[in-house]
Amino acid sequence: MSRIGRLPIEIPAGVEVKIDGQAVAVKGPKGELALTVASPIEVKIEDGQVLVSRPDDERTSRSLHGLTRTLIANQIIGVTEGYSKSLEVVGTGYRVAVKGAGVEFALGYSHPITVEPPAGISFSVEGVNKLTVTGIDKQAVGEVAANIRKLRKPEPYKGKGVRYAGEVVRRKAGKSGK
């Protein structure tokens, strides 16, 4: 039995969970999210808790059990607290600035790069080298942050580029002079 899948999910005050067949809708103070549960998995609400169960021990059922429970738990956390990812821009002349709703990066290219936030995502900039991506959907926040990091990945020789806050970039020794 899945240890994660069988854990009940507490529904905090101010959060409303609706289950309609395989569709789960979570509504909270920060917004609402929806999820379609894969077919063998069953979701039900009992005593202010969401319970996820599986009908059999087939391989697909076992693999989807814990996943479904975690996705629903992430939605409940998202509509109450929200998610955020912090990014740092490291390098001489590399900077980030607010431009309208989006942000503009100077990353050593011959042109500035403008990134507009998708629906449900917002950006906040601290100084010239810190950016925070926030939203209620954990997957969307992570994907937007990964796409921004992809604009200029941290390189191993000088460590320049866009990195997650707290990310350790393994450095390489350059050419050794004779």
Side-chain angles (χ1 to χ4, degrees):
M1 187 76 178
S2 170
R3 292 186 194 155
I4 291 172
R6 68 178 171 207
L7 292 174
I9 306 164
E10 292 290 330
I11 302 174
V15 175
E16 188 180 315
V17 179
K18 290 182 184 170
I19 298 170
D20 183 26
Q22 296 299 97
V24 177
V26 180
K27 188 174 183 181
K30 290 192 178 258
E32 60 183 285
L33 294 168
L35 171 72
T36 304
V37 177
S39 60
I41 304 299
E42 297 165 4
V43 182
K44 59 184 176 247
I45 299 174
E46 287 181 8
D47 309 332
Q49 295 179 331
V50 178
L51 300 174
V52 180
S53 61
R54 63 174 192 242
D56 51 37
D57 279 341
E58 296 280 324
R59 185 178 183 91
T60 54
S61 299
R62 288 196 324 259
S63 65
L64 291 170
H65 190 198
L67 171 73
T68 304
R69 189 253 177 220
T70 303
L71 290 175
I72 295 169
N74 286 346
Q75 286 188 331
I76 290 174
I77 293 169
V79 297
T80 53
E81 302 165 25
Y83 288 100
S84 67
K85 278 264 196 205
S86 297
L87 298 160
E88 297 172 347
V89 179
V90 178
T92 307
Y94 288 18
R95 62 180 47 90
V96 59
V98 176
K99 184 157 190 183
V103 289
E104 186 175 75
F105 290 92
L107 297 174
Y109 296 115
S110 61
H111 58 284
I113 300 169
T114 306
V115 177
E116 294 296 324
I121 302 291
S122 62
F123 297 139
S124 61
V125 176
E126 297 174 33
V128 294
N129 64 346
K130 290 196 186 327
L131 170 73
T132 306
V133 180
T134 56
I136 61 171
D137 188 356
K138 186 175 186 178
Q139 184 177 351
V141 169
E143 187 175 356
V144 169
N147 287 338
I148 290 173
R149 182 179 180 273
K150 216 184 290 182
L151 296 174
R152 177 75 89 173
K153 287 185 182 171
E155 53 95 20
Y157 296 101
K158 293 185 177 178
K160 294 162 56 169
V162 180
R163 62 175 80 165
Y164 299 117
E167 179 182 359
V168 177
V169 177
R170 289 193 59 194
R171 303 289 293 272
K172 290 182 178 179
K175 293 181 185 175
S176 58
K178 276 200 168 178

